């Protein structure tokens, strides 16, 4: 894999008089490669890419494509939650998008609950929705760890049964949170896969969830994906700060940011 | 006027001009999402049959988006050039298609190119809906739009590229590495253009100074751009930053532009400020716009006088905005916005060719970001196809990133190698000033191709010295 950029802010000279060797062994283009995760200095085969570089790119694209089209495995997520010590009941819902092809073309359907969906009405501080989004793989790999870290930090909060949502967009948390009677909904959703990040989980907080909430009324923590992205503890710390501020204000979104609750860079 | 026809024993009727335009559009997911797409293949063709008989002049009298409610409509109609329109004023949409194909076959670039200010976005959208992909290529190839600032773009036999050295944290070392990689591959003649990771004025100024230093150090005949919001660029201009180009994303309705946080006045103000710096050497085009089918719909800004307007017609209206500000560069970001607007490779290729054709016919220096996201059904074979078709169509420029992988925006565009391949296959060359610079830097071989360098080659050492 491409290494991280050097910490000192300077590119290494290709022929460093200090040791007389290129960084990166025999590869003369290590200078550029050491400076960025971008795919620089790939070399050429004629005007095209060398075979190995071409196949590396295809492998990354294939992983991202497969992440999009993997089905959410509810049993896998339930087992992971149990293994992480999360004892809450787990319910399942579907959006109005019947399949992946429809889901990708009709985001409006992914925001609405399937006809006839019933959820137990209650009165809770918080609802947690695990939504497949554009990367079910992110939910498989990171949802349980994130939920466990979050619940540890919320003693005294009443939390509704966890809802696993199939073919779901972020806004599906609005009807789910409303039906459960939750003051705040947090949707943990698989983010659109990038070439180097097929398993990124996003966390979206909405105060007073109900259909019709605008995106400006949500707060987002992106790129939960240890070890490369945000860790569970770090994400949970930030989310708890947002949850407490949201409960205090009775609101979320832009107003929270104005309170000085800084969000981490995406 | 009654808009109906009978096809295969069925009578199809269309409620309005915008309904007719939408139903005549080749299939795409965004029009389904908006609820305006044809409900069957036969209905689509029926709409095309009816549209072919609509006089072009109808589009001057009958508006898709209202004159009183929308400043884009007012801009287009108030600046319409009747003299430029005269050669085609009596034609229907179907006859206009034939007129264009005939001029293209005669290689009469002057006749086609002279129409631009006489055409409205809706006229151009309409004729494009009757054209096949090869028609779009054939006419665009004979439409000439030449612009310049420190390089000249749009000349026949040339294909330029925007070098896009994005970095997730705007790290200057990382950005520099991508710039050098691109220059070593002969990219960057259209612009060295960075999408900043944040929209802060300080960051924008820092990036502008970084690219300006590279351009100055090697005396590269190109321009820089940091694609921040126009208000951020205005702040940078006030601070005396080296701004070559004012960038902004634009949409085809006033509401869409409000969604982008811009007005026509704001764009004019920024253009004037950039012009006053006088940074051009071969021309005075100082604006850069990006567009893309679906942007108005995604902002719920796609409504017209008779309901929702199809995304391709709205895209053409964005060109009606852009051309008012004499841009150096305009590109559609054709596969970026997602499968809910353009679902797969077929739709992306079609849209890329439509956007290029329509922009050029309206007088824009049209480029394309040939790109895709991972949740769209598109891959490198599709982008190859679109790139080569665009090269044949005389596209002004394409966008290139290291190894096709934009590590900041998380999508795939072309690689520098893809640009070399397109130039080689279609016998296209970089912008002339930039080509001369490549030769001065000893980056071209005897046949004029960008040579593959060893790192200890003098040309490589000279450029990589910027990294020290």
């Amino acid at each position: 894999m491409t290494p991280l950029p050097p910490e000192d802010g300077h590119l290494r000279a290709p022929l460093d008089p200090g040791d007389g060797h290129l960084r990166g062994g025999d590869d003369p283009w290590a200078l550029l490669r050491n400076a960025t995760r971008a795919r620089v200095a790939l070399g050429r085969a004629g005007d095209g890419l060398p075979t190995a570089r071409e196949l590396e790119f295809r492998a990354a694209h294939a992983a991202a494509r497969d992440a999009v089209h993997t089905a959410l495995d509810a049993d896998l997520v339930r087992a992971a939650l149990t293994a992480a010590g999360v004892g809450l009941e787990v319910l399942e819902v579907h959006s109005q998008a019947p399949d992946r092809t429809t889901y990708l073309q009709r985001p409006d359907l992914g925001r609405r609950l399937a006809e006839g969906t019933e959820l137990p009405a209650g009165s809770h501080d918080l609802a947690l929705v695990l939504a497949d989004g554009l990367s079910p793989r992110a939910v498989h790999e990171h949802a349980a760890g994130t939920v466990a870290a979050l619940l540890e930090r919320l003693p005294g909060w009443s939390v509704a049964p966890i809802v696993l949502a199939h073919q779901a967009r972020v806004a599906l948390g609005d009807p789910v949170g409303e039906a459960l009677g939750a003051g705040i909904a947090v949707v943990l959703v698989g983010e659109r896969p990038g070439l180097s990040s097929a398993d990124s989980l996003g966390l979206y907080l909405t105060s007073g969830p109900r259909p019709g909430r605008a995106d400006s009324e949500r707060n987002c923590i992106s790129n939960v994906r240890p070890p490369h992205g945000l860790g569970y503890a770090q994400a949970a710390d930030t989310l708890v700060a947002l949850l407490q501020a949201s409960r205090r204000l009775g609101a979320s979104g832009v107003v929270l940011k104005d309170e000085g609750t800084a969000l981490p860079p995406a | 006027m009654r808009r109906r026809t009978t096809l295969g024993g069925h009578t199809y009727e269309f409620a309005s001009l915008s309904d007719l335009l939408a139903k005549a559009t080749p299939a795409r997911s965004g029009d389904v999402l908006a609820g305006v797409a044809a409900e069957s293949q036969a209905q689509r063709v029926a709409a095309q049959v009816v549209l072919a008989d609509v006089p072009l002049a109808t589009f001057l009298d009958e508006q898709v988006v209202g004159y009183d409610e929308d400043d884009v409509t007012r801009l287009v109609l108030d600046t319409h050039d009747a003299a430029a329109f005269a050669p085609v004023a009596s034609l229907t949409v179907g006859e206009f298609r034939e007129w264009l194909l005939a001029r293209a076959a005669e290689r009469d670039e002057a006749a086609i190119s002279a129409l631009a200010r006489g055409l409205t976005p809706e006229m151009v959208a309409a004729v494009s809906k009757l054209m096949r992909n090869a028609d779009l290529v054939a006419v665009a190839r004979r439409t000439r739009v030449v612009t310049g600032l420190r390089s000249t773009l749009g000349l026949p036999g040339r294909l330029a590229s925007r070098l896009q050295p994005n970095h997730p944290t705007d790290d200057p070392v990382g950005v520099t590495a991508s710039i050098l990689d691109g220059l070593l591959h002969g990219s960057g003649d259209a612009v060295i253009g960075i999408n900043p990771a944040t929209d802060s004025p300080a960051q924008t100024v820092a990036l502008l100074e970084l690219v300006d230093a590279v351009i100055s150090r090697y005396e590269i005949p190109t321009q820089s751009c940091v694609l921040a919001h126009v208000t951020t660029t205005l702040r940078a201009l006030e601070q005396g930053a080296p701004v070559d180009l004012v960038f902004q994303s634009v949409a085809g309705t006033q509401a869409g532009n409000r969604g982008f946080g811009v007005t026509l006045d704001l764009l004019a103000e920024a253009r004037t400020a950039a012009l006053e710096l006088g940074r051009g050497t071969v021309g005075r085009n100082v604006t850069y716009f990006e567009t893309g089918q679906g942007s108005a719909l995604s902002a719920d800004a796609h409504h017209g006088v008779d309901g929702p307007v199809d995304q391709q017609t709205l895209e053409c209206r964005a060109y009606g905005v852009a051309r008012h500000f004499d841009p150096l560069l305009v590109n559609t970001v054709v596969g970026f916005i997602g499968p809910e607007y353009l679902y797969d490779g077929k739709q992306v290729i079609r849209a890329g060719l439509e956007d290029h054709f329509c922009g050029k016919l309206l007088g824009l220096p049209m480029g394309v970001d040939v790109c895709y996201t991972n949740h769209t059904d598109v891959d490198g074979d599709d982008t190859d196809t679109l790139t080569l078709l665009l090269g044949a169509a005389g596209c002004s420029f394409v966008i290139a990133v290291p190894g096709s992988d934009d590590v900041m925006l998380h999508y795939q565009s072309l690689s520098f190698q893809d640009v070399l391949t397109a130039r080689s296959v279609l016998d296209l060359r970089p912008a002339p000033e930039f080509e001369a610079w490549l030769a001065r830097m000893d980056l071209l071989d005897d046949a004029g191709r960008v040579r593959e360098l060893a790192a200890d080659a003098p040309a490589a050492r000279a450029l990589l010295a910027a990294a020290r």
Side-chain angles (χ1 to χ4, degrees), chain B residues 268-425:
Chain B
E269 178 191 347
R271 174 176 176 266
T272 302
L275 265 180
E276 280 171 4
L277 295 186
R279 293 174 62 82
T281 53
V282 299
R284 283 168 51 83
N285 301 107
V286 293
T287 59
Y288 175 12
F289 298 104
E290 278 191 343
T291 65
Q293 292 189 26
S295 62
L297 174 57
S298 71
D300 193 31
H302 61 298
H303 303 286
V305 290
D306 294 302
V309 180
D310 74 86
Q311 66 183 30
Q312 192 256 338
T313 297
L314 290 171
E315 172 74 2
C316 289
R317 289 172 53 90
Y319 306 151
V321 174
R323 70 173 172 181
H324 189 65
F325 302 99
D326 296 327
L328 178 77
L329 308 162
V330 178
N331 66 264
T332 173
V333 192
V334 71
F336 185 74
I337 192 160
E340 62 267 44
Y341 304 97
L342 296 169
Y343 181 65
D344 58 13
K346 182 177 172 71
Q347 294 187 8
V348 166
I349 290 166
R350 171 74 200 181
L353 295 176
E354 286 169 352
D355 292 353
H356 176 257
F357 162 87
C358 291
K360 234 175 155 184
L361 208 55
L362 287 167
L364 292 180
M366 206 63 197
V368 177
D369 188 356
V370 179
C371 63
Y372 59 102
T373 58
N374 292 314
H375 62 318
T376 309
D377 190 8
V378 178
D379 63 19
D381 290 335
D382 298 308
T383 56
D384 287 346
T385 302
L386 179 53
T387 303
L388 293 174
L389 287 170
L390 286 168
C395 184
S396 181
F397 69 103
V398 291
I399 288 178
V401 301
S404 285
D405 178 7
D406 189 306
V407 292
M408 199 280 279
L409 293 174
H410 301 299
Y411 78 120
Q412 286 82 252
S413 184
L414 299 184
S415 67
F416 304 130
Q417 287 84 350
D418 290 333
V419 177
L420 292 176
T421 299
R423 285 176 178 159
S424 169
V425 168

Side-chain angles (χ1 to χ4, degrees), chain A residues 9 11 13 15 28-29 35-36 39-44 47 49 57 61 64-65 101 104-105 107-108 192-195, chain B residues 29 33 173-174 181 343 372 374-378 402-403 405 409-410 412 417 421 424 450-453 455 461 467-468:
Chain A
L11 283 167
L15 291 165
W29 296 106
T36 176
R39 293 172 195 250
V40 294
L42 298 182
R44 283 163 54 184
D47 291 321
L49 281 174
F57 177 85
H61 185 229
R65 296 281 292 145
T101 302
L104 289 171
Q105 297 184 65
D108 53 327
R192 194 184 89 194
L195 277 196
Chain B
S29 49
L33 182 62
V173 178
D181 196 47
Y343 181 65
Y372 59 102
N374 292 314
H375 62 318
T376 309
D377 190 8
V378 178
D405 178 7
L409 293 174
H410 301 299
Q412 286 82 252
Q417 287 84 350
T421 299
S424 169
V450 175
R451 61 164 98 231
E452 186 177 0
L453 296 169
R461 291 178 63 106
R468 288 178 198 249

